[in-house]
Amino acid sequence: MGHQLTGYADEAMYRRLLLQGCRSLEIDCWNGRRGEPVVTHGNTLVNKISFASVAKAVGEAAFVTSQAPVILSLEMHCGEKQQARIAELLKRELGPQLLTRDELRRIAEIGRAHV
């Protein structure tokens, strides 16, 4: 919220955008302490919030006002271990609502079988 260099990050904004009908979100992911990734606008004065809180907000609000897909664009500045943690958090918070690579492969195979 506010200025891109000095604004305030808050997971409630992600929730609010989804409830207002937004179907595409960019999430700037950075390495955090103790193996927990954070969300912030990097190299600025914007505060850091936990990726876990953002994932929870998305999971709670993504399909309340619309069943249309939500595109999450993850601007990734995390190392491999925290990327894996992000995947765990998204799977936990979005569950079956998350379209995974394996599911995409199954859909593609079904499509090829019908051609």
Side-chain angles (χ1 to χ4, degrees):
M1 295 186 278
H3 195 277
Q4 190 172 14
L5 297 176
T6 60
Y8 178 75
D10 185 350
E11 67 275 356
M13 181 57 76
Y14 291 94
R15 188 178 288 108
R16 183 171 12 157
L17 288 168
L18 289 165
L19 293 174
Q20 290 176 345
C22 178
R23 306 321 289 159
S24 178
L25 298 173
E26 180 178 300
I27 305 172
D28 292 7
C29 307
W30 292 81
N31 285 321
R33 295 179 146 195
R34 294 183 283 284
E36 290 299 320
V38 296
V39 174
T40 188
H41 192 67
N43 304 314
T44 67
L45 299 175
V46 174
N47 63 305
K48 297 176 174 115
I49 56 176
S50 72
F51 184 87
S53 67
V54 173
K56 183 174 179 59
V58 171
E60 290 172 353
F63 301 104
V64 172
T65 59
S66 173
Q67 293 303 303
V70 174
I71 297 169
L72 300 178
S73 174
L74 304 180
E75 185 176 309
M76 192 57 64
H77 301 277
C78 293
E80 195 172 309
K81 286 183 180 180
Q82 290 200 24
Q83 287 180 33
R85 180 66 177 141
I86 285 171
E88 290 172 11
L89 292 165
L90 288 172
K91 287 177 184 176
R92 181 181 79 196
E93 297 299 338
L94 296 171
Q97 298 169 327
L98 184 65
L99 182 62
T100 64
R101 179 175 49 192
D102 291 340
E103 190 174 345
L104 281 173
R105 284 187 184 136
R106 282 192 297 273
I107 292 168
E109 290 171 8
I110 291 169
R112 283 192 293 271
H114 287 98
V115 174

